[in-house]
């Protein structure tokens, strides 16, 4: 579960590498966030670019959607997911994706949410 103070890997091609959770927007009593919840993050580390200057800078604040959680989560239908890292993707304040590609796998539970576009951008579905 993600809470205030958690570090997350950013798994999209937006230019950010590591983010820090500032606030849980949706989640269990707005204290913990799991897969599919949104949080507010601050960028802590950015990727190095050789050709183009980065649009991302350290300290910028974004909304983020959680895609992977290290602690196992069990769904109502009996499925359980456990990943090796905490990972998220960045969104704007209007819930539009910043990046154009998602690296790694995501769960198929996003089929039934308003973030169906993630399935097209991701590398694979679990």
């Amino acid at each position: 579960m993600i809470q205030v103070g958690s570090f997350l890997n950013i798994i999209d091609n937006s230019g950010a590498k590591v983010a820090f959770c500032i606030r849980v927007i949706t989640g269990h009593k707005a204290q913990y966030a799991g897969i599919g919840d949104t949080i507010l993050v601050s960028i802590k580390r950015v990727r190095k670019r050789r050709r183009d200057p980065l649009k991302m800078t350290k300290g910028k604040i974004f909304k983020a959607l959680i895609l992977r959680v290290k602690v196992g989560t069990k769904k109502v239908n009996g499925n359980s997911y456990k990943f090796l890292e905490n990972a998220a993707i960045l969104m704007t304040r209007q819930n539009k994706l910043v990046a154009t590609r998602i690296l790694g796998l995501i769960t198929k539970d996003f089929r039934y949410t308003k973030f169906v576009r993630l399935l097209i951008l991701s590398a694979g579905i679990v």
Side-chain angles (χ1 to χ4, degrees), residues 55-100:
K55 295 177 185 174
M56 290 286 154
T57 57
K58 192 174 167 183
K60 271 194 172 180
I61 295 176
F62 286 96
K63 267 186 173 181
L65 179 70
I66 299 175
L67 297 182
R68 298 183 205 150
V69 178
K70 203 170 189 178
V71 177
T73 57
K74 194 168 186 180
K75 297 291 181 180
V76 178
N77 59 3
N79 294 341
S80 61
Y81 302 109
K82 189 173 183 181
F83 295 100
L84 297 175
E85 63 180 355
N86 295 327
I89 58 169
L90 297 179
M91 299 186 300
T92 61
R93 298 274 179 167
Q94 294 80 24
N95 291 337
K96 293 184 179 179
L97 299 176
V98 174
T100 58

Side-chain angles (χ1 to χ4, degrees), residues 13-112:
N13 64 345
S14 61
K17 198 170 185 180
V18 176
F20 179 76
C21 178
I22 297 173
R23 182 184 176 110
V24 177
I25 298 172
T26 61
H28 178 70
K29 295 184 181 179
Q31 185 177 6
Y32 303 107
I35 296 175
D37 293 333
T38 58
I39 59 174
L40 204 62
V41 297
S42 172
I43 305 300
K44 290 294 180 185
R45 205 171 350 159
V46 294
R47 298 185 197 281
K48 294 180 181 176
R49 291 285 175 132
R50 294 183 184 158
R51 295 181 188 160
D52 304 335
L54 280 176
K55 295 177 185 174
M56 290 286 154
T57 57
K58 192 174 167 183
K60 271 194 172 180
I61 295 176
F62 286 96
K63 267 186 173 181
L65 179 70
I66 299 175
L67 297 182
R68 298 183 205 150
V69 178
K70 203 170 189 178
V71 177
T73 57
K74 194 168 186 180
K75 297 291 181 180
V76 178
N77 59 3
N79 294 341
S80 61
Y81 302 109
K82 189 173 183 181
F83 295 100
L84 297 175
E85 63 180 355
N86 295 327
I89 58 169
L90 297 179
M91 299 186 300
T92 61
R93 298 274 179 167
Q94 294 80 24
N95 291 337
K96 293 184 179 179
L97 299 176
V98 174
T100 58
R101 189 177 47 190
I102 298 172
L103 309 170
L105 302 173
I106 62 170
T107 61
K108 63 182 174 182
D109 294 337
F110 288 103
R111 237 178 240 173
Y112 311 109

